[in-house]
Amino acid sequence: MPHQWKCFRVESAEPYGWVVYLEGSQRAHFFVGRSIALALAKLFAQALAPSRVRLVDLSGRITEEWAYAPRMMRY
């Protein structure tokens, strides 16, 4: 069964800070700095793989994207 990819978006919360949210979710997390917002989004994406993190500019254009595939379980 194929996995459904989740997408975490990191956007500027003009005029102050950055916001991280999972597409389709009502929840958002606000941060003062871009690097902190990106770091948390990447941690979420790794933990909930398969996932993507998209850095989005003020016009809504994706400027960078990272993908995290699920890890294989070893027994």
Side-chain angles (χ1 to χ4, degrees), residues 6-13 18-31 37-38 40-41 44-45 52-57 60:
K6 292 166 272 322
C7 184
F8 293 91
R9 291 176 67 96
V10 179
E11 299 178 357
S12 176
W18 291 81
V19 64
V20 174
Y21 66 93
L22 175 62
E23 287 183 354
S25 172
Q26 297 296 323
R27 280 196 158 162
H29 300 276
F30 292 90
F31 299 91
L38 272 174
L40 183 73
F44 280 153
R52 297 183 195 287
V53 173
R54 291 180 174 156
L55 181 61
V56 181
D57 67 14

